Structures are given as C-alpha cells and as structure tokens.
Amino acid sequence: MDIKKLLGWLAPLTFGVLLGLYWTLHGLSYTLYGTPAQKRDYPLEIVLGLPLAAFCVAIHILIRRLTNTNTLYIWIVESVLVGLFIYGFYRS
C-alpha cells in the first residue's frame, strides 16, 4: 500500500472514529456484563459514541472530496478542525 494513501486515511479525524467506536464498545460491554450500577450509567457512552464516530467519518469523507485526496491538505484541514474543537472544549 502506498504511504500517501495510508496517511490519507489515518488523518486526525480517523482517531475520532476510533474514539467513538471505543466508547460504544466500552459502554456496550458494561451494559451487558456490568453490575446494576454500571448497567444504569454506561448506556450514555453508547449514545455518545455512535454519533461521534458517524460525524467524524462524514466530515473526513467530505474533506477528502473537497481536497481531491491531497494528503497534505487533508492533514492540515483536519488538524485545524481538531485543534479548534479541543480549544473550544477546554475553553467551555
């Protein structure tokens, strides 16, 4: 596999997809096999993880199309978006 193609798919928003899938699987495991208190609290991770993963996939595909799959531009745009999101999260 070409390194440019690999770096084009492993952009910063791809890690948001992985985080959303982790939240979903983590919440699902505690919902199915956890204690009664965990079964009550962890479904929120499922509810938040699925939209996060879907949103990150949609934005990543949109950016890929807008930049004509130019790896450098994908990384620049997604890094700026992730940086703004983190900045906004810590400022709130």
Side-chain angles (χ1 to χ4, degrees):
M1 178 176 242
D2 188 22
I3 191 73
K4 279 189 171 183
K5 189 177 280 190
L6 181 65
L7 285 176
W9 282 106
L10 292 179
L13 283 178
T14 309
F15 299 116
V17 174
L18 294 176
L19 179 66
L21 291 177
Y22 171 75
W23 281 355
T24 302
L25 294 176
H26 186 255
L28 188 62
S29 68
Y30 275 108
T31 301
L32 294 176
Y33 304 113
T35 64
Q38 290 172 335
K39 289 181 180 182
R40 183 188 72 236
D41 295 335
Y42 281 93
L44 182 61
E45 284 191 6
I46 299 169
V47 171
L48 294 176
L50 287 174
L52 174 67
F55 177 74
C56 287
V57 166
I59 297 299
H60 177 72
I61 291 173
L62 178 68
I63 290 171
R64 281 182 61 85
R65 291 196 180 191
L66 289 175
T67 60
N68 294 325
T69 65
N70 187 336
T71 305
L72 178 64
Y73 293 151
I74 291 171
W75 270 84
I76 290 171
V77 171
E78 289 189 10
S79 296
V80 168
L81 286 176
V82 170
L84 288 173
F85 179 75
I86 291 171
Y87 176 75
F89 180 76
Y90 282 116
R91 292 287 295 181
S92 64

